Amino acid sequence: MAVCLAAFLAAACADNSPERDDTPTMAEASRSEETMNDSATSRSGGSEWAAEHPYVGMWVTADGHIRQELLPDGRYDEARGNRQSAYTGRYWITGDRIEYRDDTGFSADGEFDGDVLHHAGYVFYREGSLAHRRATEGDE
């Protein structure tokens, strides 16, 4: 919890320009962290859920340049090209929606459609799935 709170505060305080005064108070940051933790607990049911959740695993773009692993503990690790762990952070899944918060505080979301994940303008495929094989057929 302290790590997520620290990342949230660090990201919020990164721009200290005088025009900007949207830095969260400690109470707001704490409430936000509690909400994220409560949501993660209620969505995931704990680490047992994550290990059995159908979306845990490796998701890749058709060209293989971006590889995002959704780990069973609610964390993700994204590699880009030769850069391993280019982005890391936490994720939460509700139904077919996924929310991300990387370790720098950046957040994003996406939506699953079977073995396809639409996230941040990219299309990811569950590695090895029929959808992935079809997407890469033209690349071979």
Side-chain angles (χ1 to χ4, degrees), residues 44-114:
S44 70
S47 60
E48 292 175 19
W49 162 88
E52 298 174 13
H53 196 279
Y55 296 134
V56 166
M58 185 65 75
W59 296 82
V60 298
T61 54
D63 64 3
H65 181 74
I66 305 175
R67 298 167 311 283
Q68 185 180 92
E69 186 172 12
L70 301 180
L71 301 165
D73 63 356
R75 297 213 25 102
Y76 72 90
D77 190 317
E78 183 174 301
R80 293 194 174 216
N82 293 328
R83 188 172 163 210
Q84 296 298 318
S85 299
Y87 298 96
T88 59
R90 299 204 56 77
Y91 70 90
W92 296 266
I93 296 174
T94 304
D96 291 330
R97 303 268 315 149
I98 184 168
E99 297 175 47
Y100 300 87
R101 167 98 22 126
D102 82 8
D103 292 335
T104 68
F106 176 79
S107 61
D109 59 23
E111 189 164 341
F112 294 97
D113 181 12

